[in-house]
Amino acid sequence: MAKKKVAKKATKKKVAKKKVAKKATKKVAKKATKKKVAKKKVTKKKVAKKATKKKVAKKATKKKATKRKPNPAFMKALTPSKELAEIVGAKPLPRTEVVKKLWIYIKKHDLQNPKNKRNIIADAKLKPVFGGKKEVSMFEMTKLVSKHLK
């Protein structure tokens, strides 16, 4: 019986030691997580400071932006040929205005190809401007119109 009592006391001591060890590891783990959280907070603050510095730098560079000046070559008034004058008028106009008036004419008379809106179908007035072609792409149109401007 004495052996049993000694064995029970020994097992009780082992169990008690295990419990103490578990508590100690839990405390250490809690401390470690608190340190990690503290580190994360510090790094977040550093990142936030860097981000605000970058934003301030971007704002400083944006203040210097000014309005774009149009290219003088585009704004030079050109006289249209007789064929083109029937559509846009006989007055000298910049190239940009000529293209705008052409598009107004195209949309007014519904001359865009319904299947492919990038193509323009020429009517009686536009055929001589387009060099006799029935259908022209919008990019080719500007090329052909430039031949009618002097």
Side-chain angles (χ1 to χ4, degrees), residues 21-86:
K22 282 184 181 179
K23 284 183 181 178
T25 53
K26 284 182 181 178
K27 285 181 182 178
V28 171
K30 281 184 182 179
K31 285 181 182 178
T33 55
K34 284 181 183 178
K35 286 181 182 178
K36 285 180 184 177
V37 169
K39 283 182 181 178
K40 284 183 181 178
K41 285 181 182 177
V42 170
T43 54
K44 283 183 182 179
K45 286 180 183 177
K46 286 180 182 177
V47 170
K49 283 181 183 178
K50 287 180 182 178
T52 54
K53 285 180 183 178
K54 286 180 182 178
K55 286 179 184 176
V56 170
K58 283 183 182 178
K59 284 182 182 178
T61 56
K62 285 186 179 180
K63 287 180 183 177
K64 293 180 181 179
T66 59
K67 269 192 171 181
R68 276 182 51 188
K69 294 179 184 176
N71 189 336
F74 284 116
M75 302 314 289
K76 184 181 175 187
L78 302 168
T79 53
S81 66
K82 290 179 184 177
E83 297 88 10
L84 189 59
E86 291 179 21

Side-chain angles (χ1 to χ4, degrees), residues 72-127:
F74 284 116
M75 302 314 289
K76 184 181 175 187
L78 302 168
T79 53
S81 66
K82 290 179 184 177
E83 297 88 10
L84 189 59
E86 291 179 21
I87 300 164
V88 297
K91 292 181 184 178
L93 294 166
R95 188 180 308 274
T96 54
E97 291 297 317
V98 171
V99 173
K100 281 181 188 177
K101 288 191 177 195
L102 261 171
W103 274 108
I104 291 169
Y105 179 83
I106 290 165
K107 291 193 179 196
K108 182 180 176 183
H109 295 283
D110 196 33
L111 297 175
Q112 282 181 288
N113 188 341
K115 291 180 182 176
N116 187 358
K117 296 282 187 177
R118 290 181 287 179
N119 290 346
I120 295 121
I121 301 167
D123 64 351
K125 285 186 179 180
L126 281 177
K127 246 187 188 176

